[in-house]
Amino acid sequence: MPKGEIKIFHFNEVLTTKEIEERMDKDGFRPATLQEMLSHAAKNWDGKEWWVALGSVWVGSGGYRCVACLGRRGSGRDLFLVWDDPDNSWDGVYRFAGVSK
C-alpha cells in the first residue's frame, strides 16, 4: 500500500488501545488523525460503522484522554469524543482508521 493510504482496521475482538496500535504498526500503519479519518469517511463511510481516530488525542483538565469517534446514535450520525487510555479495551464493534507509513 502506498505511503499515506488510509485503511480501516476491524479486529472483531476485544483489544486494548496499545494492542491495536501495535497491530497497526506491525502492518506498516500508524493511527489516523481526526482530519485523516474524516477525509476518508467523506467518500467511504456508510454511516453505520463506528470509526475511531486514535491519532488525535484530547486531554481534559482532569488529565483524562479522549479520542474522536464517528458513529450513529439513533437515526443520526455523530462525531464525539470517547474516553481512552493505552489500557482501554475496545470491543469488536469499533473500527480504527490507520495510515500507511
Side-chain angles (χ1 to χ4, degrees), residues 22-42:
E22 288 171 352
R23 287 192 184 187
M24 282 184 175
D25 185 58
K26 187 176 180 180
D27 285 348
F29 286 79
R30 62 166 174 79
T33 65
L34 173 59
Q35 183 177 356
E36 291 165 334
M37 181 180 74
L38 291 178
S39 176
H40 185 71

Side-chain angles (χ1 to χ4, degrees), residues 4-99:
E5 292 290 319
I6 295 182
K7 175 181 174 181
I8 303 301
F9 288 82
H10 184 217
F11 300 105
N12 204 26
E13 62 182 302
V14 176
L15 296 171
T16 66
T17 297
K18 184 177 178 182
E19 290 170 327
I20 292 164
E21 291 172 342
E22 288 171 352
R23 287 192 184 187
M24 282 184 175
D25 185 58
K26 187 176 180 180
D27 285 348
F29 286 79
R30 62 166 174 79
T33 65
L34 173 59
Q35 183 177 356
E36 291 165 334
M37 181 180 74
L38 291 178
S39 176
H40 185 71
K43 295 181 183 176
N44 299 285
W45 186 55
D46 66 8
K48 298 176 185 173
E49 300 169 342
W50 293 76
W51 287 12
V52 179
L54 293 174
S56 289
V57 177
W58 176 80
V59 180
S61 59
Y64 58 89
R65 60 181 254 154
C66 294
V67 294
C69 184
L70 188 59
R72 177 179 288 285
R73 288 188 182 168
S75 62
R77 297 176 182 192
D78 288 319
L79 177 63
F80 49 94
L81 293 173
V82 176
W83 176 82
D84 182 45
D85 71 36
D87 297 319
N88 184 44
S89 293
W90 299 90
D91 67 27
V93 170
Y94 295 95
R95 289 157 171 78
F96 302 87
V99 180

